[in-house]
Each structure stands twice: as structure tokens, then as C-alpha cells.
mmCIF file of all heavy atoms in Angstrom:
data_model
loop_
_atom_site.group_PDB
_atom_site.id
_atom_site.type_symbol
_atom_site.label_atom_id
_atom_site.label_comp_id
_atom_site.label_asym_id
_atom_site.label_seq_id
_atom_site.Cartn_x
_atom_site.Cartn_y
_atom_site.Cartn_z
ATOM 1 N N LEU A 1 79.730 111.078 72.808
ATOM 2 C CA LEU A 1 79.987 110.762 74.209
ATOM 3 C C LEU A 1 81.458 110.958 74.577
ATOM 4 O O LEU A 1 81.781 111.315 75.711
ATOM 5 C CB LEU A 1 79.561 109.323 74.515
ATOM 6 C CG LEU A 1 78.054 109.076 74.529
ATOM 7 C CD1 LEU A 1 77.755 107.587 74.612
ATOM 8 C CD2 LEU A 1 77.381 109.830 75.664
ATOM 9 N N ARG A 2 82.358 110.749 73.617
ATOM 10 C CA ARG A 2 83.793 110.951 73.871
ATOM 11 C C ARG A 2 84.171 112.427 73.890
ATOM 12 O O ARG A 2 85.215 112.792 74.422
ATOM 13 C CB ARG A 2 84.622 110.234 72.806
ATOM 14 C CG ARG A 2 84.561 108.742 72.908
ATOM 15 C CD ARG A 2 85.435 108.068 71.850
ATOM 16 N NE ARG A 2 85.206 106.648 71.869
ATOM 17 C CZ ARG A 2 84.521 105.976 70.946
ATOM 18 N NH1 ARG A 2 84.042 106.604 69.884
ATOM 19 N NH2 ARG A 2 84.330 104.688 71.065
ATOM 20 N N GLY A 3 83.332 113.283 73.326
ATOM 21 C CA GLY A 3 83.634 114.702 73.185
ATOM 22 C C GLY A 3 83.390 115.522 74.453
ATOM 23 O O GLY A 3 83.031 114.993 75.506
ATOM 24 N N ALA A 4 83.577 116.837 74.315
ATOM 25 C CA ALA A 4 83.511 117.765 75.447
ATOM 26 C C ALA A 4 82.127 117.835 76.095
ATOM 27 O O ALA A 4 82.018 118.171 77.274
ATOM 28 C CB ALA A 4 83.946 119.156 74.992
ATOM 29 N N ASP A 5 81.053 117.516 75.367
ATOM 30 C CA ASP A 5 79.714 117.545 75.968
ATOM 31 C C ASP A 5 79.543 116.480 77.048
ATOM 32 O O ASP A 5 78.701 116.625 77.938
ATOM 33 C CB ASP A 5 78.624 117.317 74.908
ATOM 34 C CG ASP A 5 78.405 118.512 74.007
ATOM 35 O OD1 ASP A 5 78.754 119.647 74.412
ATOM 36 O OD2 ASP A 5 77.888 118.304 72.892
ATOM 37 N N PHE A 6 80.309 115.399 76.938
ATOM 38 C CA PHE A 6 80.153 114.295 77.874
ATOM 39 C C PHE A 6 81.478 113.943 78.548
ATOM 40 O O PHE A 6 81.931 114.658 79.417
ATOM 41 C CB PHE A 6 79.521 113.073 77.180
ATOM 42 C CG PHE A 6 78.063 113.280 76.864
ATOM 43 C CD1 PHE A 6 77.671 113.700 75.602
ATOM 44 C CD2 PHE A 6 77.088 113.059 77.828
ATOM 45 C CE1 PHE A 6 76.333 113.898 75.313
ATOM 46 C CE2 PHE A 6 75.746 113.263 77.549
ATOM 47 C CZ PHE A 6 75.368 113.680 76.293
ATOM 48 N N PHE A 7 82.132 112.860 78.148
ATOM 49 C CA PHE A 7 83.306 112.368 78.872
ATOM 50 C C PHE A 7 84.589 113.166 78.636
ATOM 51 O O PHE A 7 85.516 113.069 79.426
ATOM 52 C CB PHE A 7 83.546 110.883 78.564
ATOM 53 C CG PHE A 7 82.494 109.987 79.144
ATOM 54 C CD1 PHE A 7 81.649 109.273 78.319
ATOM 55 C CD2 PHE A 7 82.328 109.863 80.507
ATOM 56 C CE1 PHE A 7 80.661 108.445 78.846
ATOM 57 C CE2 PHE A 7 81.347 109.045 81.057
ATOM 58 C CZ PHE A 7 80.517 108.333 80.217
ATOM 59 N N ASP A 8 84.670 113.933 77.548
ATOM 60 C CA ASP A 8 85.845 114.754 77.267
ATOM 61 C C ASP A 8 87.125 113.930 77.391
ATOM 62 O O ASP A 8 88.037 114.258 78.142
ATOM 63 C CB ASP A 8 85.876 115.962 78.206
ATOM 64 C CG ASP A 8 86.901 117.011 77.791
ATOM 65 O OD1 ASP A 8 87.389 116.955 76.640
ATOM 66 O OD2 ASP A 8 87.219 117.880 78.623
ATOM 67 N N VAL A 9 87.181 112.823 76.623
ATOM 68 C CA VAL A 9 88.279 111.864 76.762
ATOM 69 C C VAL A 9 89.643 112.447 76.403
ATOM 70 O O VAL A 9 90.663 111.943 76.878
ATOM 71 C CB VAL A 9 88.018 110.565 75.970
ATOM 72 C CG1 VAL A 9 86.763 109.875 76.471
ATOM 73 C CG2 VAL A 9 87.954 110.810 74.487
ATOM 74 N N ALA A 10 89.677 113.508 75.610
ATOM 75 C CA ALA A 10 90.965 114.134 75.282
ATOM 76 C C ALA A 10 91.635 114.672 76.546
ATOM 77 O O ALA A 10 92.863 114.615 76.682
ATOM 78 C CB ALA A 10 90.778 115.244 74.256
ATOM 79 N N ASN A 11 90.838 115.179 77.474
ATOM 80 C CA ASN A 11 91.368 115.736 78.715
ATOM 81 C C ASN A 11 91.222 114.791 79.909
ATOM 82 O O ASN A 11 91.927 114.950 80.910
ATOM 83 C CB ASN A 11 90.670 117.052 79.040
ATOM 84 C CG ASN A 11 90.982 118.107 78.002
ATOM 85 O OD1 ASN A 11 92.141 118.396 77.734
ATOM 86 N ND2 ASN A 11 89.959 118.662 77.384
ATOM 87 N N HIS A 12 90.290 113.849 79.825
ATOM 88 C CA HIS A 12 90.011 112.937 80.939
ATOM 89 C C HIS A 12 89.836 111.518 80.404
ATOM 90 O O HIS A 12 88.716 111.022 80.303
ATOM 91 C CB HIS A 12 88.750 113.388 81.687
ATOM 92 C CG HIS A 12 88.804 114.812 82.131
ATOM 93 N ND1 HIS A 12 89.566 115.209 83.215
ATOM 94 C CD2 HIS A 12 88.238 115.929 81.625
ATOM 95 C CE1 HIS A 12 89.431 116.526 83.363
ATOM 96 N NE2 HIS A 12 88.648 116.977 82.411
ATOM 97 N N PRO A 13 90.944 110.866 80.044
ATOM 98 C CA PRO A 13 90.847 109.566 79.372
ATOM 99 C C PRO A 13 90.354 108.414 80.249
ATOM 100 O O PRO A 13 89.917 107.399 79.727
ATOM 101 C CB PRO A 13 92.273 109.301 78.893
ATOM 102 C CG PRO A 13 93.135 110.125 79.788
ATOM 103 C CD PRO A 13 92.324 111.336 80.161
ATOM 104 N N GLU A 14 90.407 108.586 81.576
ATOM 105 C CA GLU A 14 90.026 107.489 82.453
ATOM 106 C C GLU A 14 88.890 107.869 83.389
ATOM 107 O O GLU A 14 88.773 109.014 83.818
ATOM 108 C CB GLU A 14 91.212 107.037 83.315
ATOM 109 C CG GLU A 14 92.339 106.429 82.519
ATOM 110 C CD GLU A 14 93.497 105.998 83.393
ATOM 111 O OE1 GLU A 14 93.652 106.505 84.522
ATOM 112 O OE2 GLU A 14 94.258 105.138 82.926
ATOM 113 N N ILE A 15 88.079 106.870 83.684
ATOM 114 C CA ILE A 15 87.076 106.944 84.736
ATOM 115 C C ILE A 15 87.573 105.985 85.805
ATOM 116 O O ILE A 15 87.912 104.840 85.495
ATOM 117 C CB ILE A 15 85.699 106.505 84.221
ATOM 118 C CG1 ILE A 15 85.215 107.466 83.127
ATOM 119 C CG2 ILE A 15 84.691 106.414 85.366
ATOM 120 C CD1 ILE A 15 83.998 106.957 82.358
ATOM 121 N N THR A 16 87.660 106.448 87.054
ATOM 122 C CA THR A 16 88.180 105.576 88.097
ATOM 123 C C THR A 16 87.202 105.449 89.255
ATOM 124 O O THR A 16 86.454 106.384 89.566
ATOM 125 C CB THR A 16 89.532 106.066 88.657
ATOM 126 O OG1 THR A 16 89.361 107.373 89.189
ATOM 127 C CG2 THR A 16 90.600 106.084 87.591
ATOM 128 N N PHE A 17 87.222 104.282 89.852
ATOM 129 C CA PHE A 17 86.502 104.054 91.095
ATOM 130 C C PHE A 17 87.514 103.548 92.100
ATOM 131 O O PHE A 17 88.073 102.452 91.932
ATOM 132 C CB PHE A 17 85.361 103.048 90.928
ATOM 133 C CG PHE A 17 84.527 102.934 92.181
ATOM 134 C CD1 PHE A 17 83.546 103.874 92.452
ATOM 135 C CD2 PHE A 17 84.745 101.927 93.093
ATOM 136 C CE1 PHE A 17 82.788 103.805 93.618
ATOM 137 C CE2 PHE A 17 84.002 101.848 94.263
ATOM 138 C CZ PHE A 17 83.012 102.791 94.524
ATOM 139 N N ALA A 18 87.815 104.383 93.098
ATOM 140 C CA ALA A 18 88.761 104.009 94.147
ATOM 141 C C ALA A 18 87.965 103.441 95.311
ATOM 142 O O ALA A 18 87.164 104.154 95.930
ATOM 143 C CB ALA A 18 89.573 105.219 94.586
ATOM 144 N N VAL A 19 88.161 102.174 95.593
ATOM 145 C CA VAL A 19 87.461 101.512 96.689
ATOM 146 C C VAL A 19 88.196 101.844 97.986
ATOM 147 O O VAL A 19 89.357 101.486 98.153
ATOM 148 C CB VAL A 19 87.408 99.984 96.470
ATOM 149 C CG1 VAL A 19 86.751 99.292 97.657
ATOM 150 C CG2 VAL A 19 86.689 99.654 95.175
ATOM 151 N N ARG A 20 87.503 102.538 98.872
ATOM 152 C CA ARG A 20 88.082 102.885 100.182
ATOM 153 C C ARG A 20 87.867 101.745 101.167
ATOM 154 O O ARG A 20 88.690 101.497 102.035
ATOM 155 C CB ARG A 20 87.449 104.164 100.724
ATOM 156 C CG ARG A 20 87.554 105.353 99.797
ATOM 157 C CD ARG A 20 88.950 105.926 99.771
ATOM 158 N NE ARG A 20 88.987 107.135 98.966
ATOM 159 C CZ ARG A 20 89.798 107.330 97.955
ATOM 160 N NH1 ARG A 20 90.640 106.396 97.600
ATOM 161 N NH2 ARG A 20 89.792 108.449 97.280
ATOM 162 N N SER A 21 86.716 101.060 101.022
ATOM 163 C CA SER A 21 86.465 99.873 101.844
ATOM 164 C C SER A 21 85.420 99.006 101.172
ATOM 165 O O SER A 21 84.476 99.515 100.567
ATOM 166 C CB SER A 21 86.018 100.252 103.259
ATOM 167 O OG SER A 21 84.689 100.726 103.258
ATOM 168 N N ALA A 22 85.633 97.721 101.253
ATOM 169 C CA ALA A 22 84.662 96.736 100.792
ATOM 170 C C ALA A 22 84.607 95.658 101.859
ATOM 171 O O ALA A 22 85.639 95.091 102.209
ATOM 172 C CB ALA A 22 85.072 96.153 99.445
ATOM 173 N N GLU A 23 83.415 95.442 102.397
ATOM 174 C CA GLU A 23 83.259 94.490 103.484
ATOM 175 C C GLU A 23 82.129 93.528 103.182
ATOM 176 O O GLU A 23 81.041 93.949 102.776
ATOM 177 C CB GLU A 23 82.959 95.223 104.793
ATOM 178 C CG GLU A 23 84.074 96.153 105.225
ATOM 179 C CD GLU A 23 83.713 96.960 106.476
ATOM 180 O OE1 GLU A 23 82.566 96.838 106.955
ATOM 181 O OE2 GLU A 23 84.576 97.706 106.944
ATOM 182 N N VAL A 24 82.395 92.239 103.403
ATOM 183 C CA VAL A 24 81.373 91.220 103.217
ATOM 184 C C VAL A 24 80.421 91.292 104.412
ATOM 185 O O VAL A 24 80.856 91.319 105.567
ATOM 186 C CB VAL A 24 81.998 89.810 103.109
ATOM 187 C CG1 VAL A 24 80.910 88.754 103.000
ATOM 188 C CG2 VAL A 24 82.931 89.738 101.912
ATOM 189 N N ARG A 25 79.125 91.355 104.092
ATOM 190 C CA ARG A 25 78.085 91.394 105.118
ATOM 191 C C ARG A 25 76.966 90.462 104.692
ATOM 192 O O ARG A 25 76.711 90.289 103.504
ATOM 193 C CB ARG A 25 77.506 92.808 105.252
ATOM 194 C CG ARG A 25 78.498 93.848 105.704
ATOM 195 C CD ARG A 25 77.827 95.199 105.801
ATOM 196 N NE ARG A 25 78.773 96.221 106.211
ATOM 197 C CZ ARG A 25 78.505 97.518 106.197
ATOM 198 N NH1 ARG A 25 77.323 97.929 105.791
ATOM 199 N NH2 ARG A 25 79.410 98.376 106.575
ATOM 200 N N ASP A 26 76.279 89.907 105.652
ATOM 201 C CA ASP A 26 75.101 89.082 105.367
ATOM 202 C C ASP A 26 75.384 88.015 104.304
ATOM 203 O O ASP A 26 74.701 87.950 103.286
ATOM 204 C CB ASP A 26 73.921 89.957 104.930
ATOM 205 C CG ASP A 26 73.551 90.971 105.991
ATOM 206 O OD1 ASP A 26 73.646 90.630 107.183
ATOM 207 O OD2 ASP A 26 73.175 92.103 105.630
ATOM 208 N N GLY A 27 76.399 87.227 104.509
ATOM 209 C CA GLY A 27 76.686 86.133 103.592
ATOM 210 C C GLY A 27 77.456 86.562 102.369
ATOM 211 O O GLY A 27 78.664 86.717 102.408
ATOM 212 N N ASP A 28 76.732 86.787 101.254
ATOM 213 C CA ASP A 28 77.414 87.103 99.995
ATOM 214 C C ASP A 28 77.303 88.577 99.602
ATOM 215 O O ASP A 28 77.703 88.961 98.522
ATOM 216 C CB ASP A 28 76.884 86.217 98.861
ATOM 217 C CG ASP A 28 75.406 86.460 98.573
ATOM 218 O OD1 ASP A 28 74.749 87.235 99.317
ATOM 219 O OD2 ASP A 28 74.905 85.885 97.601
ATOM 220 N N GLN A 29 76.762 89.401 100.484
ATOM 221 C CA GLN A 29 76.626 90.827 100.188
ATOM 222 C C GLN A 29 77.928 91.563 100.493
ATOM 223 O O GLN A 29 78.578 91.283 101.509
ATOM 224 C CB GLN A 29 75.490 91.451 101.013
ATOM 225 C CG GLN A 29 74.142 90.787 100.806
ATOM 226 C CD GLN A 29 73.648 90.928 99.383
ATOM 227 O OE1 GLN A 29 73.520 92.019 98.854
ATOM 228 N NE2 GLN A 29 73.377 89.792 98.739
ATOM 229 N N VAL A 30 78.303 92.498 99.620
ATOM 230 C CA VAL A 30 79.521 93.279 99.815
ATOM 231 C C VAL A 30 79.132 94.757 99.833
ATOM 232 O O VAL A 30 78.589 95.277 98.862
ATOM 233 C CB VAL A 30 80.539 93.046 98.670
ATOM 234 C CG1 VAL A 30 81.807 93.852 98.910
ATOM 235 C CG2 VAL A 30 80.853 91.581 98.521
ATOM 236 N N HIS A 31 79.397 95.403 100.960
ATOM 237 C CA HIS A 31 79.131 96.837 101.063
ATOM 238 C C HIS A 31 80.399 97.569 100.615
ATOM 239 O O HIS A 31 81.479 97.375 101.191
ATOM 240 C CB HIS A 31 78.760 97.227 102.492
ATOM 241 C CG HIS A 31 78.442 98.675 102.631
ATOM 242 N ND1 HIS A 31 77.324 99.251 102.058
ATOM 243 C CD2 HIS A 31 79.108 99.673 103.230
ATOM 244 C CE1 HIS A 31 77.315 100.545 102.325
ATOM 245 N NE2 HIS A 31 78.396 100.827 103.039
ATOM 246 N N VAL A 32 80.272 98.389 99.568
ATOM 247 C CA VAL A 32 81.419 99.068 98.971
ATOM 248 C C VAL A 32 81.274 100.575 99.146
ATOM 249 O O VAL A 32 80.226 101.146 98.847
ATOM 250 C CB VAL A 32 81.531 98.740 97.457
ATOM 251 C CG1 VAL A 32 82.716 99.462 96.838
ATOM 252 C CG2 VAL A 32 81.648 97.232 97.260
ATOM 253 N N VAL A 33 82.323 101.203 99.646
ATOM 254 C CA VAL A 33 82.378 102.658 99.788
ATOM 255 C C VAL A 33 83.603 103.129 99.029
ATOM 256 O O VAL A 33 84.696 102.568 99.191
ATOM 257 C CB VAL A 33 82.490 103.080 101.273
ATOM 258 C CG1 VAL A 33 82.666 104.582 101.401
ATOM 259 C CG2 VAL A 33 81.280 102.608 102.059
ATOM 260 N N GLY A 34 83.414 104.131 98.170
ATOM 261 C CA GLY A 34 84.558 104.596 97.405
ATOM 262 C C GLY A 34 84.364 105.973 96.840
ATOM 263 O O GLY A 34 83.463 106.717 97.240
ATOM 264 N N GLN A 35 85.230 106.296 95.892
ATOM 265 C CA GLN A 35 85.265 107.595 95.256
ATOM 266 C C GLN A 35 85.241 107.370 93.742
ATOM 267 O O GLN A 35 86.132 106.722 93.198
ATOM 268 C CB GLN A 35 86.554 108.315 95.664
ATOM 269 C CG GLN A 35 86.579 109.789 95.418
ATOM 270 C CD GLN A 35 85.850 110.559 96.513
ATOM 271 O OE1 GLN A 35 85.389 110.008 97.496
ATOM 272 N NE2 GLN A 35 85.719 111.848 96.331
ATOM 273 N N LEU A 36 84.200 107.885 93.082
ATOM 274 C CA LEU A 36 84.082 107.794 91.633
ATOM 275 C C LEU A 36 84.599 109.091 91.024
ATOM 276 O O LEU A 36 84.194 110.176 91.455
ATOM 277 C CB LEU A 36 82.618 107.564 91.234
ATOM 278 C CG LEU A 36 82.320 107.469 89.740
ATOM 279 C CD1 LEU A 36 83.025 106.284 89.102
ATOM 280 C CD2 LEU A 36 80.803 107.369 89.521
#
């Protein structure tokens, strides 16, 4: 999984999720929009 067939961690060591917006809706629900 760390190798070139999958995550290729030598060239791409991080996986990031950039949250562009997170808004609380309907009590405890959070609608999240971002970039993976």
C-alpha cells in the first residue's frame, strides 16, 4: 500500500483534506465541503 501501486509514499507522503466550509445544520449535523 505504501508503494507505487497505491499511495506512493516516497513521492506523496501526505494525504490531506482541506475543509473549505463546515456548517452546523439540523442540530448536531455538520455539512462539510472540501478538497481531498
Side-chain angles (χ1 to χ4, degrees):
L1 289 171
R2 291 182 188 106
D5 286 338
F6 288 97
F7 291 114
D8 192 15
V9 299
N11 295 305
H12 306 284
E14 294 180 338
I15 296 168
T16 59
F17 186 81
V19 177
R20 304 285 185 235
S21 74
E23 298 176 356
V24 177
R25 297 180 181 170
D26 301 324
D28 63 354
Q29 303 297 304
V30 181
H31 182 68
V32 179
V33 175
Q35 196 81 4
L36 179 63

